[in-house]
PDB file of all heavy atoms in Angstrom:
ATOM      1  N   VAL A 440     -21.606 -61.169 -42.495  1.00  0.00           N
ATOM      2  CA  VAL A 440     -21.865 -60.236 -43.579  1.00  0.00           C
ATOM      3  C   VAL A 440     -22.960 -59.250 -43.210  1.00  0.00           C
ATOM      4  O   VAL A 440     -22.932 -58.073 -43.611  1.00  0.00           O
ATOM      5  CB  VAL A 440     -22.209 -60.984 -44.884  1.00  0.00           C
ATOM      6  CG1 VAL A 440     -23.626 -61.524 -44.865  1.00  0.00           C
ATOM      7  CG2 VAL A 440     -22.010 -60.067 -46.095  1.00  0.00           C
ATOM      8  N   LEU A 441     -23.935 -59.705 -42.423  1.00  0.00           N
ATOM      9  CA  LEU A 441     -24.994 -58.799 -41.968  1.00  0.00           C
ATOM     10  C   LEU A 441     -24.411 -57.669 -41.129  1.00  0.00           C
ATOM     11  O   LEU A 441     -24.681 -56.485 -41.380  1.00  0.00           O
ATOM     12  CB  LEU A 441     -26.040 -59.565 -41.165  1.00  0.00           C
ATOM     13  CG  LEU A 441     -27.080 -58.710 -40.414  1.00  0.00           C
ATOM     14  CD1 LEU A 441     -27.926 -57.919 -41.398  1.00  0.00           C
ATOM     15  CD2 LEU A 441     -27.956 -59.578 -39.522  1.00  0.00           C
ATOM     16  N   GLN A 442     -23.599 -58.016 -40.136  1.00  0.00           N
ATOM     17  CA  GLN A 442     -23.031 -57.010 -39.252  1.00  0.00           C
ATOM     18  C   GLN A 442     -22.085 -56.087 -40.001  1.00  0.00           C
ATOM     19  O   GLN A 442     -22.068 -54.873 -39.771  1.00  0.00           O
ATOM     20  CB  GLN A 442     -22.298 -57.679 -38.091  1.00  0.00           C
ATOM     21  CG  GLN A 442     -21.850 -56.718 -37.000  1.00  0.00           C
ATOM     22  CD  GLN A 442     -23.016 -55.938 -36.403  1.00  0.00           C
ATOM     23  OE1 GLN A 442     -24.030 -56.517 -35.997  1.00  0.00           O
ATOM     24  NE2 GLN A 442     -22.888 -54.617 -36.361  1.00  0.00           N
ATOM     25  N   SER A 443     -21.296 -56.634 -40.929  1.00  0.00           N
ATOM     26  CA  SER A 443     -20.346 -55.808 -41.667  1.00  0.00           C
ATOM     27  C   SER A 443     -21.061 -54.819 -42.582  1.00  0.00           C
ATOM     28  O   SER A 443     -20.623 -53.671 -42.733  1.00  0.00           O
ATOM     29  CB  SER A 443     -19.401 -56.691 -42.483  1.00  0.00           C
ATOM     30  OG  SER A 443     -20.111 -57.413 -43.465  1.00  0.00           O
ATOM     31  N   GLU A 444     -22.168 -55.233 -43.201  1.00  0.00           N
ATOM     32  CA  GLU A 444     -22.919 -54.318 -44.075  1.00  0.00           C
ATOM     33  C   GLU A 444     -23.618 -53.236 -43.253  1.00  0.00           C
ATOM     34  O   GLU A 444     -23.705 -52.077 -43.688  1.00  0.00           O
ATOM     35  CB  GLU A 444     -23.922 -55.108 -44.903  1.00  0.00           C
ATOM     36  CG  GLU A 444     -23.269 -55.961 -45.994  1.00  0.00           C
ATOM     37  CD  GLU A 444     -24.288 -56.731 -46.821  1.00  0.00           C
ATOM     38  OE1 GLU A 444     -25.448 -56.837 -46.371  1.00  0.00           O
ATOM     39  OE2 GLU A 444     -23.929 -57.204 -47.908  1.00  0.00           O
ATOM     40  N   LEU A 445     -24.099 -53.608 -42.070  1.00  0.00           N
ATOM     41  CA  LEU A 445     -24.693 -52.597 -41.181  1.00  0.00           C
ATOM     42  C   LEU A 445     -23.628 -51.592 -40.744  1.00  0.00           C
ATOM     43  O   LEU A 445     -23.883 -50.379 -40.693  1.00  0.00           O
ATOM     44  CB  LEU A 445     -25.325 -53.271 -39.959  1.00  0.00           C
ATOM     45  CG  LEU A 445     -26.538 -54.182 -40.204  1.00  0.00           C
ATOM     46  CD1 LEU A 445     -27.000 -54.815 -38.898  1.00  0.00           C
ATOM     47  CD2 LEU A 445     -27.684 -53.407 -40.848  1.00  0.00           C
ATOM     48  N   ASP A 446     -22.442 -52.086 -40.427  1.00  0.00           N
ATOM     49  CA  ASP A 446     -21.348 -51.191 -40.009  1.00  0.00           C
ATOM     50  C   ASP A 446     -20.918 -50.277 -41.145  1.00  0.00           C
ATOM     51  O   ASP A 446     -20.610 -49.098 -40.927  1.00  0.00           O
ATOM     52  CB  ASP A 446     -20.156 -52.016 -39.520  1.00  0.00           C
ATOM     53  CG  ASP A 446     -20.443 -52.759 -38.220  1.00  0.00           C
ATOM     54  OD1 ASP A 446     -21.401 -52.378 -37.536  1.00  0.00           O
ATOM     55  OD2 ASP A 446     -19.714 -53.725 -37.921  1.00  0.00           O
ATOM     56  N   LEU A 447     -20.873 -50.819 -42.360  1.00  0.00           N
ATOM     57  CA  LEU A 447     -20.475 -49.999 -43.504  1.00  0.00           C
ATOM     58  C   LEU A 447     -21.463 -48.868 -43.742  1.00  0.00           C
ATOM     59  O   LEU A 447     -21.071 -47.728 -44.031  1.00  0.00           O
ATOM     60  CB  LEU A 447     -20.364 -50.867 -44.754  1.00  0.00           C
ATOM     61  CG  LEU A 447     -19.971 -50.139 -46.048  1.00  0.00           C
ATOM     62  CD1 LEU A 447     -18.630 -49.441 -45.890  1.00  0.00           C
ATOM     63  CD2 LEU A 447     -19.957 -51.100 -47.235  1.00  0.00           C
ATOM     64  N   ALA A 448     -22.755 -49.161 -43.617  1.00  0.00           N
ATOM     65  CA  ALA A 448     -23.763 -48.110 -43.770  1.00  0.00           C
ATOM     66  C   ALA A 448     -23.596 -47.026 -42.706  1.00  0.00           C
ATOM     67  O   ALA A 448     -23.725 -45.825 -42.982  1.00  0.00           O
ATOM     68  CB  ALA A 448     -25.165 -48.718 -43.701  1.00  0.00           C
ATOM     69  N   ALA A 449     -23.288 -47.439 -41.475  1.00  0.00           N
ATOM     70  CA  ALA A 449     -23.086 -46.468 -40.393  1.00  0.00           C
ATOM     71  C   ALA A 449     -21.855 -45.604 -40.659  1.00  0.00           C
ATOM     72  O   ALA A 449     -21.856 -44.397 -40.387  1.00  0.00           O
ATOM     73  CB  ALA A 449     -22.946 -47.200 -39.062  1.00  0.00           C
ATOM     74  N   LEU A 450     -20.802 -46.198 -41.213  1.00  0.00           N
ATOM     75  CA  LEU A 450     -19.597 -45.424 -41.524  1.00  0.00           C
ATOM     76  C   LEU A 450     -19.857 -44.414 -42.642  1.00  0.00           C
ATOM     77  O   LEU A 450     -19.341 -43.289 -42.602  1.00  0.00           O
ATOM     78  CB  LEU A 450     -18.470 -46.373 -41.934  1.00  0.00           C
ATOM     79  CG  LEU A 450     -17.773 -47.131 -40.795  1.00  0.00           C
ATOM     80  CD1 LEU A 450     -16.816 -48.168 -41.346  1.00  0.00           C
ATOM     81  CD2 LEU A 450     -17.037 -46.159 -39.880  1.00  0.00           C
ATOM     82  N   LYS A 451     -20.652 -44.799 -43.633  1.00  0.00           N
ATOM     83  CA  LYS A 451     -21.003 -43.848 -44.689  1.00  0.00           C
ATOM     84  C   LYS A 451     -21.777 -42.673 -44.109  1.00  0.00           C
ATOM     85  O   LYS A 451     -21.548 -41.512 -44.475  1.00  0.00           O
ATOM     86  CB  LYS A 451     -21.825 -44.547 -45.766  1.00  0.00           C
ATOM     87  CG  LYS A 451     -21.056 -45.576 -46.589  1.00  0.00           C
ATOM     88  CD  LYS A 451     -21.962 -46.248 -47.607  1.00  0.00           C
ATOM     89  CE  LYS A 451     -21.199 -47.282 -48.435  1.00  0.00           C
ATOM     90  NZ  LYS A 451     -22.091 -47.986 -49.392  1.00  0.00           N
ATOM     91  N   ARG A 452     -22.717 -42.988 -43.207  1.00  0.00           N
ATOM     92  CA  ARG A 452     -23.475 -41.919 -42.542  1.00  0.00           C
ATOM     93  C   ARG A 452     -22.548 -41.022 -41.729  1.00  0.00           C
ATOM     94  O   ARG A 452     -22.658 -39.782 -41.769  1.00  0.00           O
ATOM     95  CB  ARG A 452     -24.530 -42.573 -41.643  1.00  0.00           C
ATOM     96  CG  ARG A 452     -25.484 -41.613 -40.892  1.00  0.00           C
ATOM     97  CD  ARG A 452     -24.956 -41.139 -39.544  1.00  0.00           C
ATOM     98  NE  ARG A 452     -24.344 -42.171 -38.754  1.00  0.00           N
ATOM     99  CZ  ARG A 452     -24.988 -42.930 -37.878  1.00  0.00           C
ATOM    100  NH1 ARG A 452     -26.278 -42.758 -37.691  1.00  0.00           N
ATOM    101  NH2 ARG A 452     -24.325 -43.837 -37.153  1.00  0.00           N
ATOM    102  N   ASP A 453     -21.635 -41.627 -40.979  1.00  0.00           N
ATOM    103  CA  ASP A 453     -20.713 -40.850 -40.152  1.00  0.00           C
ATOM    104  C   ASP A 453     -19.830 -39.938 -40.993  1.00  0.00           C
ATOM    105  O   ASP A 453     -19.508 -38.815 -40.587  1.00  0.00           O
ATOM    106  CB  ASP A 453     -19.847 -41.789 -39.316  1.00  0.00           C
ATOM    107  CG  ASP A 453     -20.639 -42.529 -38.251  1.00  0.00           C
ATOM    108  OD1 ASP A 453     -21.766 -42.089 -37.942  1.00  0.00           O
ATOM    109  OD2 ASP A 453     -20.145 -43.563 -37.743  1.00  0.00           O
ATOM    110  N   GLN A 454     -19.419 -40.410 -42.164  1.00  0.00           N
ATOM    111  CA  GLN A 454     -18.581 -39.581 -43.025  1.00  0.00           C
ATOM    112  C   GLN A 454     -19.361 -38.372 -43.546  1.00  0.00           C
ATOM    113  O   GLN A 454     -18.846 -37.245 -43.569  1.00  0.00           O
ATOM    114  CB  GLN A 454     -18.027 -40.395 -44.189  1.00  0.00           C
ATOM    115  CG  GLN A 454     -17.006 -39.626 -45.018  1.00  0.00           C
ATOM    116  CD  GLN A 454     -16.457 -40.440 -46.175  1.00  0.00           C
ATOM    117  OE1 GLN A 454     -16.989 -41.493 -46.499  1.00  0.00           O
ATOM    118  NE2 GLN A 454     -15.396 -39.960 -46.810  1.00  0.00           N
ATOM    119  N   LEU A 455     -20.598 -38.591 -43.957  1.00  0.00           N
ATOM    120  CA  LEU A 455     -21.431 -37.469 -44.399  1.00  0.00           C
ATOM    121  C   LEU A 455     -21.671 -36.487 -43.258  1.00  0.00           C
ATOM    122  O   LEU A 455     -21.634 -35.263 -43.446  1.00  0.00           O
ATOM    123  CB  LEU A 455     -22.767 -38.000 -44.938  1.00  0.00           C
ATOM    124  CG  LEU A 455     -22.698 -38.756 -46.271  1.00  0.00           C
ATOM    125  CD1 LEU A 455     -24.028 -39.439 -46.547  1.00  0.00           C
ATOM    126  CD2 LEU A 455     -22.334 -37.823 -47.410  1.00  0.00           C
ATOM    127  N   ASN A 456     -21.907 -37.019 -42.065  1.00  0.00           N
ATOM    128  CA  ASN A 456     -22.110 -36.155 -40.901  1.00  0.00           C
ATOM    129  C   ASN A 456     -20.854 -35.355 -40.574  1.00  0.00           C
ATOM    130  O   ASN A 456     -20.935 -34.193 -40.150  1.00  0.00           O
ATOM    131  CB  ASN A 456     -22.522 -36.995 -39.692  1.00  0.00           C
ATOM    132  CG  ASN A 456     -23.966 -37.441 -39.753  1.00  0.00           C
ATOM    133  OD1 ASN A 456     -24.731 -36.965 -40.593  1.00  0.00           O
ATOM    134  ND2 ASN A 456     -24.353 -38.352 -38.887  1.00  0.00           N
ATOM    135  N   ALA A 457     -19.701 -35.972 -40.743  1.00  0.00           N
ATOM    136  CA  ALA A 457     -18.449 -35.273 -40.459  1.00  0.00           C
ATOM    137  C   ALA A 457     -18.252 -34.099 -41.416  1.00  0.00           C
ATOM    138  O   ALA A 457     -17.770 -33.028 -41.016  1.00  0.00           O
ATOM    139  CB  ALA A 457     -17.275 -36.248 -40.564  1.00  0.00           C
ATOM    140  N   VAL A 458     -18.617 -34.277 -42.668  1.00  0.00           N
ATOM    141  CA  VAL A 458     -18.521 -33.179 -43.642  1.00  0.00           C
ATOM    142  C   VAL A 458     -19.481 -32.052 -43.256  1.00  0.00           C
ATOM    143  O   VAL A 458     -19.123 -30.870 -43.302  1.00  0.00           O
ATOM    144  CB  VAL A 458     -18.815 -33.696 -45.058  1.00  0.00           C
ATOM    145  CG1 VAL A 458     -18.886 -32.533 -46.045  1.00  0.00           C
ATOM    146  CG2 VAL A 458     -17.751 -34.686 -45.504  1.00  0.00           C
ATOM    147  N   ALA A 459     -20.700 -32.418 -42.859  1.00  0.00           N
ATOM    148  CA  ALA A 459     -21.667 -31.403 -42.417  1.00  0.00           C
ATOM    149  C   ALA A 459     -21.177 -30.704 -41.154  1.00  0.00           C
ATOM    150  O   ALA A 459     -21.352 -29.491 -40.995  1.00  0.00           O
ATOM    151  CB  ALA A 459     -23.025 -32.054 -42.164  1.00  0.00           C
ATOM    152  N   GLN A 460     -20.544 -31.464 -40.254  1.00  0.00           N
ATOM    153  CA  GLN A 460     -20.007 -30.873 -39.034  1.00  0.00           C
ATOM    154  C   GLN A 460     -18.857 -29.921 -39.337  1.00  0.00           C
ATOM    155  O   GLN A 460     -18.725 -28.859 -38.714  1.00  0.00           O
ATOM    156  CB  GLN A 460     -19.524 -31.980 -38.097  1.00  0.00           C
ATOM    157  CG  GLN A 460     -18.985 -31.474 -36.765  1.00  0.00           C
ATOM    158  CD  GLN A 460     -18.495 -32.596 -35.871  1.00  0.00           C
ATOM    159  OE1 GLN A 460     -18.766 -33.766 -36.117  1.00  0.00           O
ATOM    160  NE2 GLN A 460     -17.751 -32.241 -34.841  1.00  0.00           N
ATOM    161  N   LEU A 461     -18.010 -30.272 -40.300  1.00  0.00           N
ATOM    162  CA  LEU A 461     -16.919 -29.383 -40.702  1.00  0.00           C
ATOM    163  C   LEU A 461     -17.474 -28.084 -41.283  1.00  0.00           C
ATOM    164  O   LEU A 461     -16.982 -26.991 -40.971  1.00  0.00           O
ATOM    165  CB  LEU A 461     -16.031 -30.090 -41.731  1.00  0.00           C
ATOM    166  CG  LEU A 461     -14.873 -29.259 -42.307  1.00  0.00           C
ATOM    167  CD1 LEU A 461     -13.900 -28.869 -41.210  1.00  0.00           C
ATOM    168  CD2 LEU A 461     -14.153 -30.032 -43.413  1.00  0.00           C
ATOM    169  N   TYR A 462     -18.513 -28.196 -42.088  1.00  0.00           N
ATOM    170  CA  TYR A 462     -19.160 -27.018 -42.672  1.00  0.00           C
ATOM    171  C   TYR A 462     -19.702 -26.107 -41.577  1.00  0.00           C
ATOM    172  O   TYR A 462     -19.508 -24.884 -41.616  1.00  0.00           O
ATOM    173  CB  TYR A 462     -20.279 -27.486 -43.594  1.00  0.00           C
ATOM    174  CG  TYR A 462     -21.019 -26.399 -44.330  1.00  0.00           C
ATOM    175  CD1 TYR A 462     -20.352 -25.499 -45.149  1.00  0.00           C
ATOM    176  CD2 TYR A 462     -22.407 -26.275 -44.214  1.00  0.00           C
ATOM    177  CE1 TYR A 462     -21.045 -24.513 -45.838  1.00  0.00           C
ATOM    178  CE2 TYR A 462     -23.102 -25.301 -44.903  1.00  0.00           C
ATOM    179  CZ  TYR A 462     -22.418 -24.409 -45.697  1.00  0.00           C
ATOM    180  OH  TYR A 462     -23.104 -23.441 -46.375  1.00  0.00           O
ATOM    181  N   ARG A 463     -20.352 -26.693 -40.582  1.00  0.00           N
ATOM    182  CA  ARG A 463     -20.905 -25.907 -39.475  1.00  0.00           C
ATOM    183  C   ARG A 463     -19.802 -25.299 -38.614  1.00  0.00           C
ATOM    184  O   ARG A 463     -19.863 -24.118 -38.225  1.00  0.00           O
ATOM    185  CB  ARG A 463     -21.798 -26.787 -38.611  1.00  0.00           C
ATOM    186  CG  ARG A 463     -22.494 -26.028 -37.480  1.00  0.00           C
ATOM    187  CD  ARG A 463     -22.920 -26.949 -36.364  1.00  0.00           C
ATOM    188  NE  ARG A 463     -21.767 -27.574 -35.719  1.00  0.00           N
ATOM    189  CZ  ARG A 463     -21.002 -26.981 -34.818  1.00  0.00           C
ATOM    190  NH1 ARG A 463     -21.240 -25.725 -34.456  1.00  0.00           N
ATOM    191  NH2 ARG A 463     -19.977 -27.618 -34.276  1.00  0.00           N
ATOM    192  N   SER A 464     -18.775 -26.094 -38.300  1.00  0.00           N
ATOM    193  CA  SER A 464     -17.715 -25.607 -37.399  1.00  0.00           C
ATOM    194  C   SER A 464     -16.902 -24.476 -38.024  1.00  0.00           C
ATOM    195  O   SER A 464     -16.338 -23.649 -37.303  1.00  0.00           O
ATOM    196  CB  SER A 464     -16.798 -26.765 -37.008  1.00  0.00           C
ATOM    197  OG  SER A 464     -16.180 -27.345 -38.143  1.00  0.00           O
ATOM    198  N   LEU A 465     -16.845 -24.425 -39.349  1.00  0.00           N
ATOM    199  CA  LEU A 465     -16.167 -23.310 -40.015  1.00  0.00           C
ATOM    200  C   LEU A 465     -17.042 -22.072 -40.113  1.00  0.00           C
ATOM    201  O   LEU A 465     -16.573 -20.995 -40.508  1.00  0.00           O
ATOM    202  CB  LEU A 465     -15.735 -23.736 -41.428  1.00  0.00           C
ATOM    203  CG  LEU A 465     -14.538 -24.701 -41.501  1.00  0.00           C
ATOM    204  CD1 LEU A 465     -14.370 -25.250 -42.908  1.00  0.00           C
ATOM    205  CD2 LEU A 465     -13.255 -24.014 -41.055  1.00  0.00           C
ATOM    206  N   GLY A 466     -18.321 -22.208 -39.746  1.00  0.00           N
ATOM    207  CA  GLY A 466     -19.230 -21.068 -39.790  1.00  0.00           C
ATOM    208  C   GLY A 466     -20.110 -21.030 -41.016  1.00  0.00           C
ATOM    209  O   GLY A 466     -20.669 -19.972 -41.342  1.00  0.00           O
ATOM    210  N   GLY A 467     -20.260 -22.154 -41.707  1.00  0.00           N
ATOM    211  CA  GLY A 467     -21.098 -22.194 -42.879  1.00  0.00           C
ATOM    212  C   GLY A 467     -22.530 -22.523 -42.544  1.00  0.00           C
ATOM    213  O   GLY A 467     -22.825 -23.132 -41.521  1.00  0.00           O
TER     214      GLY A 467
END
Side-chain angles (χ1 to χ4, degrees):
V440 76
L441 170 64
Q442 189 58 51
S443 64
E444 289 181 344
L445 294 178
D446 292 342
L447 179 59
L450 283 172
K451 291 178 180 177
R452 183 272 317 270
D453 292 343
Q454 187 180 12
L455 290 169
N456 284 349
V458 173
Q460 182 181 347
L461 177 63
Y462 182 57
R463 184 202 64 80
S464 60
L465 287 169

